[in-house]
Amino acid sequence: MLKLVIIGAGGCVGAILRYLVAGMVHQLAQASAFPVGTLTVNVVGCLLIGIGGGLMESRQLFSPEWRAFLFVGGLGSFTTFSTFGLETFNLAKDGQWLSSCGNVGISLALGLVAVLAGHMLSRLI
């Protein structure tokens, strides 16, 4: 139960940071139609999970509780794209190139199909 509370606390922080960072970037970009706030959040999240994943791997820097707070909760709610990036990178790093590329292609294709399906279903509700 404590792990769920830790993840929830990290999720709260990550969601608030996502809102603030994306909003600030969107304001700075002013009337841009491109979702630059979301792009920024995704890239920053990938950078942070790359740093954290590298530190975990090379220095075992984070306790299980900190990993749950920072990675599952914090970055998980800041952007799930960062987790996707780390998992895809790890597959490639382990020489599983087909799985790595498949993860990218399948995630993109199924994600877009799911958005389309959800949009179509919303018209039936």
Side-chain angles (χ1 to χ4, degrees):
M1 185 62 146
L2 177 60
K3 192 171 196 174
L4 294 177
V5 171
I6 291 169
I7 291 168
C12 180
V13 171
I16 291 168
L17 286 174
R18 176 185 180 86
Y19 174 79
L20 293 174
V21 169
M24 180 183 68
V25 169
H26 183 71
Q27 278 186 331
L28 289 173
Q30 296 182 352
S32 174
F34 189 82
V36 67
T38 300
L39 174 64
T40 301
V41 164
N42 287 340
V43 171
V44 168
C46 286
L47 175 66
L48 293 175
I49 206 165
I51 292 169
L55 290 173
M56 280 191 317
E57 186 177 293
S58 66
R59 299 189 186 142
Q60 292 77 42
L61 189 62
F62 303 105
S63 69
E65 292 81 11
W66 274 107
R67 284 196 302 268
F69 178 83
L70 292 171
F71 298 107
V72 179
L75 287 173
S77 66
F78 186 70
T79 173
T80 58
F81 192 75
S82 60
T83 302
F84 165 77
L86 181 63
E87 289 172 345
T88 303
F89 170 78
N90 283 336
L91 286 169
K93 183 181 74 170
D94 293 341
Q96 299 179 36
W97 290 99
L98 185 59
S99 292
S100 179
C101 292
N103 190 38
V104 172
I106 291 168
S107 294
L108 179 61
L110 290 180
L112 291 173
V113 167
V115 169
L116 174 63
H119 184 60
M120 291 169 61
L121 286 171
S122 73
R123 294 179 179 195
L124 301 174
I125 298 174

